[in-house]
Amino acid sequence: MDIEQEIIYELSILQYLKQILRMEVEGGRKNKHPCPLHPSKNNTLEINKDLNYFYCSSCKSEGDVIDLHTLIMGKTIKNYNRDQSIDYLRTFINI
């Protein structure tokens, strides 16, 4: 298993939202929450727990936990990329 797969396996999007973004989230199989990528009070971020995958019906962003972190950090740090996300998340989950 490569490092990306290990991160995706070890860190669910729900854990990421709870532990890193400090969002209050539910743990159902499929659930919706406000998207952290844009201002909205609507629950447009759908999380598929089984696939550990997200999709926002408003901004059309989608992907795995690494993609989500890259998109969030890219809003404040110019040229933030997937490799930087992998480094951060692997340190966060201690692998």
Side-chain angles (χ1 to χ4, degrees):
M1 181 180 305
D2 71 8
I3 191 67
E4 287 186 39
Q5 292 172 330
E6 196 168 345
I7 290 168
I8 294 165
Y9 178 79
E10 293 290 331
L11 181 62
S12 74
I13 292 173
L14 290 175
Q15 286 175 299
Y16 175 83
L17 294 174
K18 287 179 192 176
Q19 296 175 357
I20 296 177
L21 298 184
R22 304 287 189 231
M23 289 176 64
E24 291 185 30
V25 295
E26 299 171 12
R29 231 179 113 220
K30 278 191 175 181
N31 49 63
K32 290 188 175 188
H33 305 281
C35 181
L37 299 170
H38 58 85
S40 176
K41 293 183 180 179
N42 298 324
N43 292 334
T44 59
L45 184 74
E46 183 175 321
I47 300 167
N48 184 315
K49 187 177 176 184
D50 293 338
L51 299 176
N52 200 21
Y53 192 83
F54 76 92
Y55 173 75
C56 177
S57 59
S58 181
C59 70
K60 307 301 183 208
S61 296
E62 62 183 322
D64 57 40
V65 67
I66 301 169
D67 296 323
L68 183 58
H69 182 74
T70 304
L71 290 167
I72 290 170
M73 295 305 294
K75 290 175 60 177
T76 56
I77 301 173
K78 188 176 180 176
N79 299 322
Y80 196 86
N81 61 47
R82 188 171 177 90
D83 290 336
Q84 290 169 298
S85 288
I86 290 168
D87 288 342
Y88 174 81
L89 294 172
R90 82 187 293 185
T91 300
F92 179 77
I93 61 174
N94 201 23
I95 56 171

